[in-house]
Amino acid sequence: MNEHRIQAYVNLIQQLLACATNGELNQILHQSIELVDEGFVQACEQMAQQLQQAGEEQQARFLRDRAQQVAAFLKQQPSGGEDESRETTGHATQEDYIYFLIDVLQATAESENAPLVVYHLLEQNLDKLNLVLAEILPYWACQIFNQVEENEAEETFADIGRLATLIQQFPKGNPVNNQEIAIVCYGISLTVCTREQSQERWATLQNDLGNAYRNRIQGEQGQNLEWAIACYQAALQVRTRDAFPKEWATILNNLGAAYNNRIRKEPELNFQRSICCHEAALQVFTQKGFPELWAATQIGLGNVYSNINYRERGLNPEHAIGCYKKALEVYTQKNFPKEWAMTQTNLGAAYGIRGEQVQNWKLEIDCYKKASEVYTQTDFPKEWATTHNNLGAAYRNLSQQEEAEQNLELAIACYQDALQVYTPNAFREQWAGTKNNLGNAYCDLSQQEEPAQNLKFAITCYQDALQVYTPNAFREQWAGTKNNL
């Protein structure tokens, strides 16, 4: 066993000892599954002996318990013989997945930042971009690590990190699966690419892994954001303003976005931290020097001012509107259509919280309609669904002031459009939210026409939403939907 792997075991054990909950323990082991082998069990036992000799009885007992669980897990795994390698996983065998991994990593190594080469191969193997691949990857990586020289392992694991970024940005396939595969790949790459060995590469991987967690669809959102924040903070230990000003500002923008979405604790501090991150980034990203990055930072800042969780702090949505309008000075529909559409969507949301006035809702609707010129269901299905969900909410608000029946029917049509993309499998949380919104629209419509039938529709929608909104996972949403029901 080489010294590098021994150190990797020690690092993993130290992470486990610092954990506070079983959920964190299991997540860390899942991220570093390629290290979970007999050598890891032996390392746990040795460390436990050292802790016991030092009088740390509780930690020693913890490590021994964890070692026993891992040992039991390993006994249940296949031995790797020919029969097991051909065990089917859906329509493809495990051997098919291995061959695919070899091909795609070779393409990644040879592509030299030409993603179309890799994307063509991914598109031909969409059936293998699934959670089975995410499960197979760590075991395959562990075998490769033990079979090759250390320098060759470093190259392979660097390619795995690059593949993670390509899969994370891959526009096709199941976005949930793509994100999970990317997270596993980043974790594998970080077991070899340590801060001591390659600071810059390590910091890049930490930032990329943070982005993957921040945008993750599966898992509990609050925990995903905590992991994202930890990754960004780690990256900033290397990417300082003096040494890497552009990278430093980029990571600060990412960290600011994570603080803005943080839902676990300290809302006042999260708001202040988010504002500070974006404003610090603007010290580097000026409109003249970095116009596109300046515009992106203005959007991040506008998103904080638009955050409904901070409205009680006396924030004026005019700040958000001003930020988005600044961004549109750079993001034009002609030159930056996707960014323009995103900014129009955000601007529409800012008008929506500006005040309960007909003019604001009409401005909101106009922004969403503009965004839909770019966000089509074919090219941008998720963004299209989000825009239609927001458009439905705007029409429902407008129905309170004028043309109630017509606007409610428009709202219902928008929600139903969004549900063509938001499914309980691909976008579970968004599906539940849209179902709840649709139920509200049917409730309102019941006061205009066919009350019995529309109320039945509303009840069905709320019951659907409660399949996702449970008191443990989404306490506030669960309570609101139960109240609606």
Side-chain angles (χ1 to χ4, degrees):
M1 187 185 305
N2 60 44
E3 293 183 3
H4 184 83
R5 190 162 186 83
I6 293 174
Q7 186 59 48
Y9 288 146
V10 172
N11 293 341
L12 177 57
I13 290 171
Q14 290 174 343
Q15 290 182 58
L16 296 179
L17 290 173
C19 286
T21 67
N22 287 332
E24 289 182 71
L25 290 169
N26 294 331
Q27 182 69 24
I28 288 174
L29 284 173
H30 175 72
Q31 290 175 335
S32 303
I33 194 69
E34 70 284 349
L35 293 174
V36 179
D37 56 15
E38 293 179 1
F40 174 70
V41 175
Q42 294 174 7
C44 285
E45 291 288 355
Q46 293 172 3
M47 182 74 79
Q49 290 178 10
Q50 295 174 13
L51 288 169
Q52 187 169 8
Q53 292 172 1
E56 300 287 346
E57 294 285 347
Q58 185 174 356
Q59 290 190 326
R61 191 181 311 113
F62 165 85
L63 270 185
R64 287 198 173 97
D65 291 343
R66 185 59 55 178
Q68 290 176 0
Q69 293 173 5
V70 171
F73 167 78
L74 291 172
K75 289 180 181 178
Q76 298 173 1
Q77 302 309 303
S79 61
E82 182 177 351
D83 291 340
E84 286 85 355
S85 70
R86 291 192 171 275
E87 179 182 342
T88 59
T89 51
H91 296 292
T93 66
Q94 289 185 13
E95 192 175 56
D96 292 332
Y97 282 94
I98 298 300
Y99 285 139
F100 166 61
L101 278 173
I102 294 171
D103 289 342
V104 77
L105 282 173
Q106 183 177 354
T108 302
E110 297 174 352
S111 65
E112 297 183 354
N113 298 321
L116 291 180
V117 176
V118 180
Y119 284 171
H120 178 68
L121 185 56
L122 294 178
E123 191 170 351
Q124 290 178 322
N125 292 272
L126 290 177
D127 62 313
K128 299 181 188 68
L129 292 180
N130 53 38
L131 298 183
V132 175
L133 179 64
E135 294 175 1
I136 290 175
L137 252 165
Y139 297 105
W140 175 81
C142 182
Q143 292 177 358
I144 293 297
F145 189 93
N146 291 326
Q147 291 172 4
V148 301
E149 297 295 329
E150 187 168 336
N151 61 342
E152 187 177 347
E154 291 175 5
E155 293 178 4
T156 300
F157 280 50
D159 290 335
I160 292 174
R162 285 189 282 270
L163 177 62
T165 301
L166 292 174
I167 289 179
Q168 189 176 353
Q169 298 172 353
F170 184 49
K172 297 187 178 180
N174 186 316
V176 176
N177 295 340
N178 293 349
Q179 204 74 2
E180 295 303 303
I181 295 168
I183 288 173
V184 171
C185 286
Y186 285 131
I188 292 171
S189 190
L190 280 166
T191 62
V192 172
C193 181
T194 64
R195 180 179 177 180
E196 294 74 18
Q197 189 177 48
S198 178
Q199 285 196 40
E200 293 183 32
R201 179 62 184 158
W202 176 83
T204 298
L205 287 170
Q206 290 288 356
N207 178 64
D208 291 344
L209 180 57
N211 290 338
Y213 275 127
R214 181 163 58 89
N215 298 316
R216 192 184 190 192
I217 299 169
Q218 280 199 335
E220 199 269 312
Q221 185 188 14
Q223 183 59 69
N224 288 334
L225 287 170
E226 296 304 309
W227 284 322
I229 289 169
C231 288
Y232 295 139
Q233 290 173 335
L236 287 170
Q237 295 173 20
V238 174
R239 300 295 197 187
T240 63
R241 178 176 180 177
D242 290 339
F244 304 95
K246 183 177 179 181
E247 292 80 3
W248 172 81
T250 298
I251 298 170
L252 278 178
N253 273 338
N254 294 337
L255 181 58
Y259 278 131
N260 185 34
N261 293 324
R262 198 182 196 191
I263 57 178
R264 281 200 161 187
K265 55 187 177 182
E266 302 174 332
E268 182 66 35
L269 279 176
N270 290 330
F271 166 70
Q272 294 174 359
R273 289 164 177 162
S274 185
I275 293 290
C276 286
C277 285
H278 293 304
E279 289 184 341
L282 285 172
Q283 297 173 19
V284 174
F285 293 154
T286 63
Q287 185 173 9
K288 183 178 180 180
F290 299 93
E292 294 174 45
L293 295 173
W294 173 83
T297 308
Q298 291 291 348
I299 290 174
L301 197 55
N303 291 345
V304 185
Y305 287 125
S306 291
N307 193 327
I308 194 171
N309 294 318
Y310 303 137
R311 286 181 68 185
E312 66 272 16
R313 286 157 180 78
L315 294 177
N316 190 334
E318 293 299 329
H319 292 318
I321 292 170
C323 289
Y324 296 138
K325 286 184 175 180
K326 285 181 181 179
L328 288 172
E329 295 174 14
V330 175
Y331 289 155
T332 62
Q333 185 175 10
K334 180 180 179 180
N335 295 328
F336 300 95
K338 183 178 178 181
E339 291 79 5
W340 175 83
M342 175 189 65
T343 310
Q344 290 290 352
T345 299
N346 294 351
L347 180 58
Y351 281 128
I353 64 172
R354 194 185 203 180
E356 297 182 356
Q357 300 174 8
V358 170
Q359 184 61 28
N360 287 325
W361 288 324
K362 288 185 176 179
L363 287 169
E364 181 183 11
I365 289 169
D366 183 61
C367 287
Y368 295 144
K369 286 183 175 180
K370 287 180 179 177
S372 295
E373 296 173 15
V374 175
Y375 284 159
T376 63
Q377 185 176 7
T378 302
D379 295 333
F380 300 98
K382 181 182 178 182
E383 292 81 0
W384 177 84
T386 300
T387 303
H388 276 74
N389 184 51
N390 294 343
L391 187 56
Y395 276 126
R396 180 173 175 246
N397 287 332
L398 187 58
S399 72
Q400 299 170 17
Q401 299 292 332
E402 64 181 38
E403 299 177 345
E405 184 175 333
Q406 178 182 345
N407 283 317
L408 285 170
E409 288 176 350
L410 288 170
I412 288 170
C414 288
Y415 291 137
Q416 290 172 335
D417 284 343
L419 289 170
Q420 295 178 35
V421 175
Y422 288 160
T423 68
N425 293 325
F427 297 96
R428 188 168 177 80
E429 186 178 349
Q430 291 88 341
W431 173 80
T434 306
K435 279 285 187 176
N436 182 65
N437 293 343
L438 182 57
N440 291 337
Y442 276 126
C443 265
D444 292 348
L445 189 59
S446 71
Q447 300 175 31
Q448 306 296 325
E449 61 176 33
E450 300 181 10
Q453 180 155 343
N454 283 318
L455 285 174
K456 287 181 180 179
F457 288 151
I459 288 170
T460 300
C461 289
Y462 295 138
Q463 290 173 335
D464 286 344
L466 288 170
Q467 296 175 25
V468 176
Y469 288 160
T470 64
N472 292 328
F474 300 96
R475 187 171 183 82
E476 291 184 11
Q477 294 90 332
W478 169 80
T481 306
K482 289 286 280 189
N483 183 65
N484 293 340
L485 182 57

